[in-house]
Amino acid sequence: MAKVSLNINGRKYALGCDDGEEERLMRLGQKLDDRVNNMANQFGQIGDLRLLVMAGITMLDELEDMDKSVDNEVDKRIGNLRKETTAATQLAERTELKAADSLLDAAMRIERLAERLSDKG
């Protein structure tokens, strides 16, 4: 197990992580530190715990908004795909009917031609 040392709001935190995850954990820790520092600049040094809670809440709020946005986009795309599928199905049905009509017309012509040929023969 790997260990990473994070600096958040001027304090060091040693955390363990899976091997190979060190860079990701350090990047996430830097994002959290940036958020906490932003909160501290806005509200002052109101305590590490409060700043961390506020940073966590704002991050979760943003994540929830993104989830809703993704869900809405997925719903929109599914709706568009359903419309496209319906349109494609209707076009296929019309094409099939036209093809059947053309085959029926061709069969009738062949039948008339066969009758003429048998009458001459």
mmCIF file of all heavy atoms in Angstrom, residues 1-43:
data_model
loop_
_atom_site.group_PDB
_atom_site.id
_atom_site.type_symbol
_atom_site.label_atom_id
_atom_site.label_comp_id
_atom_site.label_asym_id
_atom_site.label_seq_id
_atom_site.Cartn_x
_atom_site.Cartn_y
_atom_site.Cartn_z
ATOM 1 N N MET A 1 0.846 -1.172 0.000
ATOM 2 C CA MET A 1 0.000 0.000 0.000
ATOM 3 C C MET A 1 0.895 1.239 0.000
ATOM 4 O O MET A 1 1.836 1.339 0.767
ATOM 5 C CB MET A 1 -0.927 -0.010 1.207
ATOM 6 C CG MET A 1 -1.808 1.204 1.302
ATOM 7 S SD MET A 1 -3.030 1.063 2.605
ATOM 8 C CE MET A 1 -4.505 1.091 1.631
ATOM 9 N N ALA A 2 0.551 2.188 -0.856
ATOM 10 C CA ALA A 2 1.329 3.423 -0.971
ATOM 11 C C ALA A 2 0.831 4.450 0.036
ATOM 12 O O ALA A 2 -0.302 4.373 0.509
ATOM 13 C CB ALA A 2 1.212 3.971 -2.386
ATOM 14 N N LYS A 3 1.691 5.409 0.330
ATOM 15 C CA LYS A 3 1.319 6.504 1.238
ATOM 16 C C LYS A 3 1.553 7.824 0.526
ATOM 17 O O LYS A 3 2.502 7.988 -0.226
ATOM 18 C CB LYS A 3 2.137 6.449 2.523
ATOM 19 C CG LYS A 3 1.772 5.284 3.392
ATOM 20 C CD LYS A 3 2.287 5.458 4.783
ATOM 21 C CE LYS A 3 1.773 4.270 5.600
ATOM 22 N NZ LYS A 3 1.955 4.446 6.995
ATOM 23 N N VAL A 4 0.639 8.756 0.787
ATOM 24 C CA VAL A 4 0.718 10.086 0.192
ATOM 25 C C VAL A 4 0.553 11.102 1.305
ATOM 26 O O VAL A 4 -0.258 10.917 2.215
ATOM 27 C CB VAL A 4 -0.400 10.268 -0.873
ATOM 28 C CG1 VAL A 4 -0.449 11.686 -1.384
ATOM 29 C CG2 VAL A 4 -0.198 9.295 -2.022
ATOM 30 N N SER A 5 1.308 12.183 1.201
ATOM 31 C CA SER A 5 1.190 13.270 2.162
ATOM 32 C C SER A 5 0.507 14.441 1.465
ATOM 33 O O SER A 5 1.000 14.950 0.462
ATOM 34 C CB SER A 5 2.573 13.680 2.663
ATOM 35 O OG SER A 5 2.446 14.766 3.565
ATOM 36 N N LEU A 6 -0.654 14.824 1.969
ATOM 37 C CA LEU A 6 -1.411 15.938 1.401
ATOM 38 C C LEU A 6 -1.298 17.150 2.309
ATOM 39 O O LEU A 6 -1.254 17.019 3.532
ATOM 40 C CB LEU A 6 -2.889 15.561 1.257
ATOM 41 C CG LEU A 6 -3.220 14.356 0.392
ATOM 42 C CD1 LEU A 6 -4.726 14.124 0.389
ATOM 43 C CD2 LEU A 6 -2.698 14.528 -1.016
ATOM 44 N N ASN A 7 -1.296 18.313 1.707
ATOM 45 C CA ASN A 7 -1.269 19.562 2.451
ATOM 46 C C ASN A 7 -2.600 20.260 2.189
ATOM 47 O O ASN A 7 -2.865 20.704 1.076
ATOM 48 C CB ASN A 7 -0.093 20.426 1.997
ATOM 49 C CG ASN A 7 0.042 21.684 2.820
ATOM 50 O OD1 ASN A 7 -0.682 21.900 3.777
ATOM 51 N ND2 ASN A 7 0.975 22.524 2.423
ATOM 52 N N ILE A 8 -3.447 20.322 3.214
ATOM 53 C CA ILE A 8 -4.758 20.944 3.071
ATOM 54 C C ILE A 8 -4.887 22.026 4.135
ATOM 55 O O ILE A 8 -4.791 21.749 5.334
ATOM 56 C CB ILE A 8 -5.893 19.905 3.189
ATOM 57 C CG1 ILE A 8 -5.730 18.883 2.060
ATOM 58 C CG2 ILE A 8 -7.260 20.581 3.147
ATOM 59 C CD1 ILE A 8 -6.694 17.755 2.056
ATOM 60 N N ASN A 9 -5.070 23.242 3.672
ATOM 61 C CA ASN A 9 -5.204 24.413 4.539
ATOM 62 C C ASN A 9 -4.016 24.537 5.498
ATOM 63 O O ASN A 9 -4.179 24.851 6.672
ATOM 64 C CB ASN A 9 -6.540 24.383 5.288
ATOM 65 C CG ASN A 9 -6.922 25.742 5.827
ATOM 66 O OD1 ASN A 9 -6.582 26.769 5.247
ATOM 67 N ND2 ASN A 9 -7.633 25.748 6.951
ATOM 68 N N GLY A 10 -2.820 24.262 4.972
ATOM 69 C CA GLY A 10 -1.609 24.412 5.768
ATOM 70 C C GLY A 10 -1.311 23.263 6.706
ATOM 71 O O GLY A 10 -0.330 23.298 7.437
ATOM 72 N N ARG A 11 -2.125 22.223 6.694
ATOM 73 C CA ARG A 11 -1.887 21.062 7.564
ATOM 74 C C ARG A 11 -1.557 19.850 6.697
ATOM 75 O O ARG A 11 -2.113 19.673 5.623
ATOM 76 C CB ARG A 11 -3.108 20.750 8.414
ATOM 77 C CG ARG A 11 -3.406 21.816 9.434
ATOM 78 C CD ARG A 11 -4.533 21.326 10.342
ATOM 79 N NE ARG A 11 -4.982 22.394 11.187
ATOM 80 C CZ ARG A 11 -4.603 22.533 12.452
ATOM 81 N NH1 ARG A 11 -3.751 21.701 12.989
ATOM 82 N NH2 ARG A 11 -5.065 23.526 13.176
ATOM 83 N N LYS A 12 -0.683 19.026 7.206
ATOM 84 C CA LYS A 12 -0.279 17.807 6.498
ATOM 85 C C LYS A 12 -1.162 16.649 6.941
ATOM 86 O O LYS A 12 -1.464 16.489 8.124
ATOM 87 C CB LYS A 12 1.181 17.483 6.797
ATOM 88 C CG LYS A 12 2.150 18.508 6.305
ATOM 89 C CD LYS A 12 2.992 17.923 5.216
ATOM 90 C CE LYS A 12 4.020 18.983 4.805
ATOM 91 N NZ LYS A 12 4.078 19.155 3.411
ATOM 92 N N TYR A 13 -1.582 15.867 5.926
ATOM 93 C CA TYR A 13 -2.378 14.665 6.171
ATOM 94 C C TYR A 13 -1.717 13.516 5.421
ATOM 95 O O TYR A 13 -1.503 13.598 4.214
ATOM 96 C CB TYR A 13 -3.819 14.839 5.680
ATOM 97 C CG TYR A 13 -4.585 15.902 6.419
ATOM 98 C CD1 TYR A 13 -4.563 17.229 5.998
ATOM 99 C CD2 TYR A 13 -5.341 15.576 7.538
ATOM 100 C CE1 TYR A 13 -5.272 18.213 6.682
ATOM 101 C CE2 TYR A 13 -6.050 16.553 8.231
ATOM 102 C CZ TYR A 13 -6.009 17.867 7.790
ATOM 103 O OH TYR A 13 -6.700 18.840 8.465
ATOM 104 N N ALA A 14 -1.377 12.455 6.151
ATOM 105 C CA ALA A 14 -0.802 11.266 5.526
ATOM 106 C C ALA A 14 -1.933 10.278 5.262
ATOM 107 O O ALA A 14 -2.685 9.918 6.170
ATOM 108 C CB ALA A 14 0.251 10.649 6.443
ATOM 109 N N LEU A 15 -2.053 9.878 4.002
ATOM 110 C CA LEU A 15 -3.117 8.952 3.614
ATOM 111 C C LEU A 15 -2.526 7.764 2.869
ATOM 112 O O LEU A 15 -1.540 7.896 2.146
ATOM 113 C CB LEU A 15 -4.136 9.639 2.704
ATOM 114 C CG LEU A 15 -4.887 10.830 3.276
ATOM 115 C CD1 LEU A 15 -5.769 11.453 2.210
ATOM 116 C CD2 LEU A 15 -5.740 10.397 4.455
ATOM 117 N N GLY A 16 -3.146 6.627 3.034
ATOM 118 C CA GLY A 16 -2.762 5.445 2.284
ATOM 119 C C GLY A 16 -3.650 5.285 1.067
ATOM 120 O O GLY A 16 -4.800 5.734 1.053
ATOM 121 N N CYS A 17 -3.084 4.673 0.041
ATOM 122 C CA CYS A 17 -3.862 4.417 -1.176
ATOM 123 C C CYS A 17 -3.273 3.195 -1.874
ATOM 124 O O CYS A 17 -2.187 2.724 -1.526
ATOM 125 C CB CYS A 17 -3.854 5.633 -2.101
ATOM 126 S SG CYS A 17 -2.228 6.063 -2.740
ATOM 127 N N ASP A 18 -3.986 2.688 -2.842
ATOM 128 C CA ASP A 18 -3.480 1.561 -3.626
ATOM 129 C C ASP A 18 -2.266 1.996 -4.427
ATOM 130 O O ASP A 18 -2.158 3.165 -4.830
ATOM 131 C CB ASP A 18 -4.560 1.045 -4.589
ATOM 132 C CG ASP A 18 -5.699 0.335 -3.869
ATOM 133 O OD1 ASP A 18 -5.465 -0.167 -2.754
ATOM 134 O OD2 ASP A 18 -6.810 0.292 -4.432
ATOM 135 N N ASP A 19 -1.377 1.072 -4.658
ATOM 136 C CA ASP A 19 -0.207 1.365 -5.482
ATOM 137 C C ASP A 19 -0.658 1.852 -6.850
ATOM 138 O O ASP A 19 -1.593 1.313 -7.441
ATOM 139 C CB ASP A 19 0.655 0.101 -5.645
ATOM 140 C CG ASP A 19 1.353 -0.297 -4.343
ATOM 141 O OD1 ASP A 19 1.592 0.601 -3.511
ATOM 142 O OD2 ASP A 19 1.641 -1.494 -4.169
ATOM 143 N N GLY A 20 -0.011 2.894 -7.324
ATOM 144 C CA GLY A 20 -0.350 3.465 -8.616
ATOM 145 C C GLY A 20 -1.389 4.569 -8.544
ATOM 146 O O GLY A 20 -1.648 5.237 -9.539
ATOM 147 N N GLU A 21 -2.015 4.759 -7.391
ATOM 148 C CA GLU A 21 -3.050 5.774 -7.229
ATOM 149 C C GLU A 21 -2.526 7.058 -6.590
ATOM 150 O O GLU A 21 -3.290 7.997 -6.346
ATOM 151 C CB GLU A 21 -4.209 5.230 -6.376
ATOM 152 C CG GLU A 21 -5.010 4.141 -7.060
ATOM 153 C CD GLU A 21 -5.797 4.664 -8.243
ATOM 154 O OE1 GLU A 21 -6.397 5.751 -8.151
ATOM 155 O OE2 GLU A 21 -5.801 3.984 -9.290
ATOM 156 N N GLU A 22 -1.225 7.101 -6.341
ATOM 157 C CA GLU A 22 -0.647 8.236 -5.621
ATOM 158 C C GLU A 22 -0.889 9.561 -6.362
ATOM 159 O O GLU A 22 -1.295 10.555 -5.745
ATOM 160 C CB GLU A 22 0.873 8.045 -5.442
ATOM 161 C CG GLU A 22 1.253 6.834 -4.639
ATOM 162 C CD GLU A 22 1.483 5.582 -5.488
ATOM 163 O OE1 GLU A 22 1.097 5.562 -6.676
ATOM 164 O OE2 GLU A 22 2.046 4.624 -4.949
ATOM 165 N N GLU A 23 -0.626 9.570 -7.659
ATOM 166 C CA GLU A 23 -0.770 10.817 -8.425
ATOM 167 C C GLU A 23 -2.211 11.314 -8.414
ATOM 168 O O GLU A 23 -2.476 12.509 -8.239
ATOM 169 C CB GLU A 23 -0.305 10.595 -9.866
ATOM 170 C CG GLU A 23 -0.279 11.863 -10.691
ATOM 171 C CD GLU A 23 0.235 11.602 -12.101
ATOM 172 O OE1 GLU A 23 1.205 10.846 -12.256
ATOM 173 O OE2 GLU A 23 -0.368 12.170 -13.042
ATOM 174 N N ARG A 24 -3.133 10.401 -8.561
ATOM 175 C CA ARG A 24 -4.557 10.778 -8.544
ATOM 176 C C ARG A 24 -4.947 11.345 -7.179
ATOM 177 O O ARG A 24 -5.622 12.372 -7.088
ATOM 178 C CB ARG A 24 -5.419 9.573 -8.888
ATOM 179 C CG ARG A 24 -6.898 9.900 -8.932
ATOM 180 C CD ARG A 24 -7.687 8.754 -9.537
ATOM 181 N NE ARG A 24 -9.044 9.174 -9.808
ATOM 182 C CZ ARG A 24 -10.085 8.822 -9.075
ATOM 183 N NH1 ARG A 24 -9.938 8.016 -8.050
ATOM 184 N NH2 ARG A 24 -11.289 9.257 -9.375
ATOM 185 N N LEU A 25 -4.519 10.679 -6.122
ATOM 186 C CA LEU A 25 -4.843 11.147 -4.773
ATOM 187 C C LEU A 25 -4.235 12.524 -4.518
ATOM 188 O O LEU A 25 -4.891 13.402 -3.943
ATOM 189 C CB LEU A 25 -4.367 10.140 -3.726
ATOM 190 C CG LEU A 25 -4.691 10.470 -2.272
ATOM 191 C CD1 LEU A 25 -6.188 10.670 -2.059
ATOM 192 C CD2 LEU A 25 -4.168 9.365 -1.355
ATOM 193 N N MET A 26 -3.022 12.750 -4.990
ATOM 194 C CA MET A 26 -2.395 14.060 -4.805
ATOM 195 C C MET A 26 -3.153 15.138 -5.583
ATOM 196 O O MET A 26 -3.354 16.242 -5.092
ATOM 197 C CB MET A 26 -0.925 13.999 -5.221
ATOM 198 C CG MET A 26 -0.113 13.161 -4.249
ATOM 199 S SD MET A 26 1.661 13.261 -4.470
ATOM 200 C CE MET A 26 1.966 14.949 -4.072
ATOM 201 N N ARG A 27 -3.611 14.795 -6.801
ATOM 202 C CA ARG A 27 -4.383 15.751 -7.606
ATOM 203 C C ARG A 27 -5.708 16.090 -6.917
ATOM 204 O O ARG A 27 -6.096 17.253 -6.830
ATOM 205 C CB ARG A 27 -4.630 15.182 -9.006
ATOM 206 C CG ARG A 27 -5.238 16.172 -9.975
ATOM 207 C CD ARG A 27 -5.513 15.578 -11.348
ATOM 208 N NE ARG A 27 -6.716 14.748 -11.309
ATOM 209 C CZ ARG A 27 -6.757 13.423 -11.392
ATOM 210 N NH1 ARG A 27 -5.664 12.729 -11.532
ATOM 211 N NH2 ARG A 27 -7.899 12.771 -11.342
ATOM 212 N N LEU A 28 -6.378 15.077 -6.396
ATOM 213 C CA LEU A 28 -7.637 15.314 -5.690
ATOM 214 C C LEU A 28 -7.404 16.115 -4.410
ATOM 215 O O LEU A 28 -8.197 17.004 -4.073
ATOM 216 C CB LEU A 28 -8.332 13.984 -5.380
ATOM 217 C CG LEU A 28 -8.829 13.199 -6.590
ATOM 218 C CD1 LEU A 28 -9.317 11.820 -6.159
ATOM 219 C CD2 LEU A 28 -9.899 13.959 -7.344
ATOM 220 N N GLY A 29 -6.326 15.800 -3.717
ATOM 221 C CA GLY A 29 -5.984 16.555 -2.511
ATOM 222 C C GLY A 29 -5.723 18.015 -2.831
ATOM 223 O O GLY A 29 -6.123 18.910 -2.064
ATOM 224 N N GLN A 30 -5.063 18.275 -3.960
ATOM 225 C CA GLN A 30 -4.804 19.661 -4.373
ATOM 226 C C GLN A 30 -6.121 20.391 -4.673
ATOM 227 O O GLN A 30 -6.294 21.549 -4.295
ATOM 228 C CB GLN A 30 -3.884 19.697 -5.596
ATOM 229 C CG GLN A 30 -3.523 21.099 -6.044
ATOM 230 C CD GLN A 30 -2.792 21.885 -4.963
ATOM 231 O OE1 GLN A 30 -1.795 21.428 -4.418
ATOM 232 N NE2 GLN A 30 -3.300 23.060 -4.627
ATOM 233 N N LYS A 31 -7.046 19.685 -5.308
ATOM 234 C CA LYS A 31 -8.358 20.301 -5.582
ATOM 235 C C LYS A 31 -9.086 20.637 -4.282
ATOM 236 O O LYS A 31 -9.705 21.688 -4.165
ATOM 237 C CB LYS A 31 -9.225 19.372 -6.446
ATOM 238 C CG LYS A 31 -8.804 19.319 -7.883
ATOM 239 C CD LYS A 31 -9.761 18.445 -8.679
ATOM 240 C CE LYS A 31 -9.399 18.474 -10.144
ATOM 241 N NZ LYS A 31 -10.383 17.763 -10.968
ATOM 242 N N LEU A 32 -9.004 19.713 -3.328
ATOM 243 C CA LEU A 32 -9.655 19.965 -2.041
ATOM 244 C C LEU A 32 -8.978 21.137 -1.330
ATOM 245 O O LEU A 32 -9.662 22.005 -0.777
ATOM 246 C CB LEU A 32 -9.621 18.703 -1.166
ATOM 247 C CG LEU A 32 -10.274 18.828 0.204
ATOM 248 C CD1 LEU A 32 -11.743 19.218 0.094
ATOM 249 C CD2 LEU A 32 -10.103 17.530 0.984
ATOM 250 N N ASP A 33 -7.658 21.179 -1.364
ATOM 251 C CA ASP A 33 -6.932 22.289 -0.747
ATOM 252 C C ASP A 33 -7.326 23.611 -1.399
ATOM 253 O O ASP A 33 -7.560 24.607 -0.699
ATOM 254 C CB ASP A 33 -5.420 22.067 -0.863
ATOM 255 C CG ASP A 33 -4.623 23.145 -0.149
ATOM 256 O OD1 ASP A 33 -4.967 23.476 1.008
ATOM 257 O OD2 ASP A 33 -3.664 23.661 -0.761
ATOM 258 N N ASP A 34 -7.429 23.618 -2.724
ATOM 259 C CA ASP A 34 -7.845 24.845 -3.419
ATOM 260 C C ASP A 34 -9.238 25.274 -2.959
ATOM 261 O O ASP A 34 -9.494 26.459 -2.710
ATOM 262 C CB ASP A 34 -7.854 24.631 -4.938
ATOM 263 C CG ASP A 34 -6.461 24.446 -5.523
ATOM 264 O OD1 ASP A 34 -5.468 24.751 -4.830
ATOM 265 O OD2 ASP A 34 -6.368 23.965 -6.673
ATOM 266 N N ARG A 35 -10.125 24.321 -2.826
ATOM 267 C CA ARG A 35 -11.494 24.629 -2.408
ATOM 268 C C ARG A 35 -11.520 25.147 -0.982
ATOM 269 O O ARG A 35 -12.199 26.125 -0.670
ATOM 270 C CB ARG A 35 -12.359 23.372 -2.548
ATOM 271 C CG ARG A 35 -13.827 23.540 -2.199
ATOM 272 C CD ARG A 35 -14.561 24.460 -3.171
ATOM 273 N NE ARG A 35 -14.571 23.941 -4.509
ATOM 274 C CZ ARG A 35 -15.627 23.442 -5.135
ATOM 275 N NH1 ARG A 35 -16.783 23.419 -4.526
ATOM 276 N NH2 ARG A 35 -15.524 23.005 -6.362
ATOM 277 N N VAL A 36 -10.788 24.498 -0.105
ATOM 278 C CA VAL A 36 -10.740 24.923 1.296
ATOM 279 C C VAL A 36 -10.128 26.322 1.396
ATOM 280 O O VAL A 36 -10.629 27.179 2.136
ATOM 281 C CB VAL A 36 -9.964 23.899 2.165
ATOM 282 C CG1 VAL A 36 -9.661 24.464 3.542
ATOM 283 C CG2 VAL A 36 -10.762 22.604 2.284
ATOM 284 N N ASN A 37 -9.060 26.573 0.641
ATOM 285 C CA ASN A 37 -8.442 27.905 0.655
ATOM 286 C C ASN A 37 -9.414 28.967 0.151
ATOM 287 O O ASN A 37 -9.465 30.082 0.689
ATOM 288 C CB ASN A 37 -7.150 27.918 -0.177
ATOM 289 C CG ASN A 37 -6.021 27.211 0.520
ATOM 290 O OD1 ASN A 37 -5.941 27.209 1.747
ATOM 291 N ND2 ASN A 37 -5.144 26.601 -0.246
ATOM 292 N N ASN A 38 -10.197 28.618 -0.864
ATOM 293 C CA ASN A 38 -11.217 29.540 -1.373
ATOM 294 C C ASN A 38 -12.242 29.842 -0.286
ATOM 295 O O ASN A 38 -12.637 30.998 -0.086
ATOM 296 C CB ASN A 38 -11.880 28.947 -2.622
ATOM 297 C CG ASN A 38 -12.816 29.916 -3.298
ATOM 298 O OD1 ASN A 38 -12.802 31.107 -3.029
ATOM 299 N ND2 ASN A 38 -13.628 29.398 -4.197
ATOM 300 N N MET A 39 -12.665 28.810 0.438
ATOM 301 C CA MET A 39 -13.618 29.004 1.540
ATOM 302 C C MET A 39 -12.987 29.868 2.638
ATOM 303 O O MET A 39 -13.643 30.750 3.183
ATOM 304 C CB MET A 39 -14.040 27.654 2.139
ATOM 305 C CG MET A 39 -14.819 26.775 1.220
ATOM 306 S SD MET A 39 -16.513 27.348 1.125
ATOM 307 C CE MET A 39 -17.040 26.553 -0.356
ATOM 308 N N ALA A 40 -11.735 29.606 2.957
ATOM 309 C CA ALA A 40 -11.051 30.368 3.996
ATOM 310 C C ALA A 40 -10.924 31.831 3.586
ATOM 311 O O ALA A 40 -11.063 32.727 4.433
ATOM 312 C CB ALA A 40 -9.672 29.771 4.273
ATOM 313 N N ASN A 41 -10.677 32.082 2.313
ATOM 314 C CA ASN A 41 -10.601 33.466 1.829
ATOM 315 C C ASN A 41 -11.952 34.165 1.922
ATOM 316 O O ASN A 41 -12.031 35.361 2.183
ATOM 317 C CB ASN A 41 -10.085 33.509 0.392
ATOM 318 C CG ASN A 41 -8.619 33.160 0.291
ATOM 319 O OD1 ASN A 41 -7.868 33.293 1.249
ATOM 320 N ND2 ASN A 41 -8.197 32.693 -0.872
ATOM 321 N N GLN A 42 -13.025 33.405 1.704
ATOM 322 C CA GLN A 42 -14.373 33.983 1.765
ATOM 323 C C GLN A 42 -14.834 34.214 3.201
ATOM 324 O O GLN A 42 -15.410 35.241 3.514
ATOM 325 C CB GLN A 42 -15.384 33.050 1.084
ATOM 326 C CG GLN A 42 -15.543 33.261 -0.386
ATOM 327 C CD GLN A 42 -16.656 32.357 -0.915
ATOM 328 O OE1 GLN A 42 -16.546 31.143 -0.891
ATOM 329 N NE2 GLN A 42 -17.721 32.976 -1.367
ATOM 330 N N PHE A 43 -14.616 33.210 4.052
ATOM 331 C CA PHE A 43 -15.220 33.223 5.385
ATOM 332 C C PHE A 43 -14.207 33.389 6.518
ATOM 333 O O PHE A 43 -14.590 33.475 7.681
ATOM 334 C CB PHE A 43 -16.019 31.933 5.619
ATOM 335 C CG PHE A 43 -17.086 31.711 4.592
ATOM 336 C CD1 PHE A 43 -16.927 30.745 3.606
ATOM 337 C CD2 PHE A 43 -18.237 32.483 4.583
ATOM 338 C CE1 PHE A 43 -17.911 30.544 2.647
ATOM 339 C CE2 PHE A 43 -19.219 32.279 3.627
ATOM 340 C CZ PHE A 43 -19.051 31.306 2.654
#
